[in-house]
Amino acid sequence: MSNATLSPLPSADHEVAARLRDALLAASFTADGLLDLLGAPAYAALARSETVPALRATRGDTPLETLVRLFLLQQPVPHARVEGVLPVHACVAGGWLTRVGDAGGDLAATVDVRPYGGPDGEDWFIVSDLGCAVGGAGGIGNRDEGVVLGVGGASTTLAGITVRTPVASALDLGTGSGIQALHASRHATRVTATDLNPRALHITALTLALSGVPAADLREGSLFAPVRDDESYDLIVSNPPFVISPGARLTYRDGGMGGDDLCRSLVQGAGERLNEGGFAQFLANWQHVEGEDWQDRIRSWVPRGCDAWIVQREVQDVTQYAELWLRDAGDHRGDPAEYQARYDAWLDEFEARKVKAVGFGWITLRRTSAAEPVITAEEWPHPVEQPLGDTVRAHFERLDYLRAHDDAALLAGHFRLAGEIVQEQVGLPGAEDPEHVVLRQNRGMRRATKVDTVGAGFAGVCDGTLSAGRILDAIAQLVGEDPVLLRDRTPAQIRLLVEQGFLEPAPR
């Protein structure tokens, strides 16, 4: 795939990048600075690739307005205005700026530079191709090229669900503009980033240099091809080109394999590259095929020796899916006949594979030495609270606990109610007893689960002081039930409450 029509990229020279970074920070060209300047509506519009509100908000001549017009809105700016804000000679020589106009009196950016706030307040910068700071490549004029996109919903979702424990080594597969590598640099001693597109690797180097973080080990190649046989990692992350499409027209999104084979290959290949206890976390699309359960399909992808948590966040029928990605590429703005032909090709592909819908979600693997790994596959389209990294880690820790405790050990255990759990009673107004009781989380996955009155009473008493068995004995006495029978039928409900994070094992 040729990059001939794309603009030349700046040099990854760290000295020039450091000078540019200092100038950007001095002018408050940061995520907070942008929000203060533009206001929430215009700032949110930028995330939708709408620039008119930001253009209206930057009609002055302050240093920050100059930088927004230059790097985010791609407007030529007079040399004299830029000179007081940036080290112009170094930025032109380093390729960050170029002279435009007949007399060369204006300067223009050669790449998008978008301020990006790190999780601990870091001021980072994401570099991408012109017009690709956010969202898809729709309408940028280079739809058939190997463009490199900036920050989008998928990349921030993956960054939010990733487990952030300190590790020795992390691998970012299909790094794009380097967002996941940037996050990994905070807690991994060594970061390796790969991409099939050499342009993406160069842009990742720019992102890291401009953000003031250590350089990563950058390697060109597809999937695990750049990884040596003797290499393994504590963390593997990937926001891959997961779009299920006819052909591989767009490098940034189309995997180039049939159907969902790229995502399957990625998941299957991760197991042998993970160290014991290590996590692999991916975003993925998967096919819903006639006569096949989608959960069974994804379960078959999970490599041996790995626990897995698969969460389906969204399902689209094949027409919705095709329209989404045709619009992402800007095809709806071109020749109607060509648009219709492309749409037909997508539907032909799905029909041939007997695909009725496409699922999107998260897949997390954890390498385990357990004799019987646990695979959890569920549909959860409801709102969640990001970041979820700690929630993901805690899910697998609870799996370990439940796997190590039979019913007798469970009843001997001590539990406490997780934070910010509320109880809702559902029933007819005025009824003496509720039809059922719902426990609801206000944090993390924000789950809700039905429990009976015994389960609700049990959860409400759990504060870590009494064992589960003693609590059940007390409840049996209150409700006039045989304590032995209650001990027999309640462990399944306790297991579910622990698995879903409503109850936490209390340290003794």
Side-chain angles (χ1 to χ4, degrees):
M1 188 167 290
S2 168
N3 290 329
T5 63
L6 293 175
S7 62
L9 293 173
S11 162
D13 181 273
H14 277 257
E15 183 178 344
V16 175
R19 292 183 64 188
L20 176 55
R21 173 180 171 79
D22 288 344
L24 297 178
L25 293 177
S28 296
F29 188 65
T30 63
D32 289 342
L34 283 187
L35 185 59
D36 289 342
L37 171 68
L38 302 178
Y43 189 70
L46 272 181
R48 301 190 300 270
S49 298
E50 296 290 349
T51 58
V52 172
L55 285 167
R56 292 173 61 85
T58 55
R59 289 177 289 195
D61 59 0
T62 67
L64 181 54
E65 287 170 299
T66 297
L67 292 175
V68 171
R69 284 192 159 249
L70 194 62
F71 285 117
L72 275 185
L73 305 178
Q74 280 90 61
Q75 300 295 304
V77 178
H79 183 285
R81 281 185 58 184
V82 181
E83 197 167 36
V85 182
L86 297 177
V88 169
H89 178 75
C91 288
V92 171
W96 292 92
L97 300 176
T98 185
R99 302 184 191 278
V100 296
D102 294 338
D106 290 347
L107 293 168
T110 59
V111 288
D112 255 308
V113 176
R114 182 177 177 86
Y116 181 75
D120 290 326
E122 301 93 342
D123 288 315
W124 290 338
F125 299 96
I126 308 299
V127 179
S128 60
D129 273 311
L130 292 174
C132 296
V134 293
I140 66 168
N142 289 311
R143 293 171 295 161
D144 296 316
E145 304 292 343
V147 295
V148 180
L149 270 58
V151 182
S155 53
T156 55
T157 293
L158 179 59
I161 68 172
T162 300
V163 176
R164 297 296 176 192
T165 53
V167 295
S169 57
L171 172 64
D172 175 15
L173 285 172
T175 188
S177 55
I179 297 164
Q180 309 308 323
L182 189 58
H183 279 277
S185 70
R186 295 177 57 249
H187 62 105
T189 304
R190 175 172 57 89
V191 178
T192 301
T194 73
D195 205 290
L196 181 65
N197 184 1
R199 187 175 183 87
L201 295 176
H202 190 107
I203 284 181
T204 291
L206 298 176
T207 290
L208 298 178
L210 197 57
S211 297
V213 305
D217 178 4
L218 304 178
R219 304 182 190 178
E220 182 180 345
S222 177
L223 298 180
F224 292 101
V227 178
R228 297 192 303 271
D229 290 342
D230 62 343
E231 289 182 307
S232 59
Y233 297 86
D234 303 307
L235 174 67
I236 299 173
V237 292
S238 184
N239 175 21
F242 53 67
V243 176
I244 300 171
S245 63
R249 188 161 61 104
L250 302 177
T251 302
Y252 73 87
R253 69 166 207 200
D254 299 329
M257 297 185 184
D260 50 18
D261 282 354
L262 181 134
C263 291
R264 175 184 55 79
S265 299
L266 187 62
V267 173
Q268 289 180 338
E272 61 186 2
R273 273 88 175 185
L274 273 179
N275 294 326
E276 179 69 21
F279 287 92
Q281 299 187 261
F282 315 106
L283 302 185
N285 273 169
W286 44 78
Q287 299 173 150
H288 284 227
V289 180
E290 290 180 21
E292 179 184 71
D293 187 302
W294 75 266
Q295 294 188 359
D296 292 340
R297 183 179 189 86
I298 312 305
R299 286 172 180 273
S300 72
W301 295 1
V302 177
R304 290 185 178 182
C306 288
D307 292 322
W309 186 16
I310 301 153
V311 181
Q312 180 167 272
R313 295 287 291 155
E314 184 179 3
V315 181
Q316 292 182 309
D317 68 50
V318 291
T319 59
Q320 292 174 311
Y321 188 79
E323 291 162 14
L324 168 68
W325 293 110
L326 287 167
R327 282 178 168 79
D328 169 85
D331 290 319
H332 61 302
R333 300 176 183 171
D335 177 16
E338 184 179 350
Y339 173 80
Q340 183 174 342
R342 291 193 189 280
Y343 200 151
D344 263 332
W346 283 67
L347 297 186
D348 285 344
E349 178 88 1
F350 287 131
E351 186 176 325
R353 295 180 176 276
K354 298 184 177 180
V355 175
K356 58 184 180 179
V358 177
F360 166 79
W362 319 323
I363 299 175
T364 300
L365 307 177
R366 185 191 58 166
R367 190 76 184 173
T368 180
S369 57
E372 296 184 16
V374 176
I375 301 174
T376 303
E378 62 176 322
E379 187 161 10
W380 191 254
H382 310 293
V384 299
E385 183 189 46
Q386 287 274 35
L388 278 169
D390 287 344
T391 299
V392 173
R393 176 185 49 77
H395 168 86
F396 288 93
E397 290 176 349
R398 293 193 301 270
L399 282 188
D400 286 341
Y401 178 88
L402 293 172
R403 193 158 39 200
H405 290 73
D406 60 16
D407 286 356
L410 202 66
L411 292 174
H414 294 243
F415 301 93
R416 63 186 175 199
L417 193 65
E420 298 198 37
I421 304 291
V422 297
Q423 176 179 304
E424 301 171 0
Q425 296 189 173
V426 181
L428 293 173
E432 184 174 342
D433 295 313
E435 292 176 19
H436 58 263
V437 178
V438 174
L439 300 183
R440 188 178 301 277
Q441 301 169 348
N442 285 327
R443 305 296 300 273
M445 291 293 286
R446 292 179 172 165
R447 294 187 186 278
T449 191
K450 291 182 184 179
V451 292
D452 59 21
T453 53
V454 170
F458 178 87
V461 174
C462 284
D463 62 3
T465 57
L466 296 176
S467 70
R470 289 188 62 187
I471 293 174
L472 289 179
D473 291 343
I475 292 175
Q477 188 172 2
L478 281 173
V479 300
E481 187 168 342
D482 185 335
V484 175
L485 294 178
L486 194 61
R487 279 174 172 253
D488 282 344
R489 70 177 176 86
T490 308
Q493 193 168 193
I494 296 174
R495 284 187 182 278
L496 180 64
L497 292 174
V498 172
E499 180 184 343
Q500 295 191 342
F502 290 92
L503 293 178
E504 300 171 345
R508 300 299 297 162

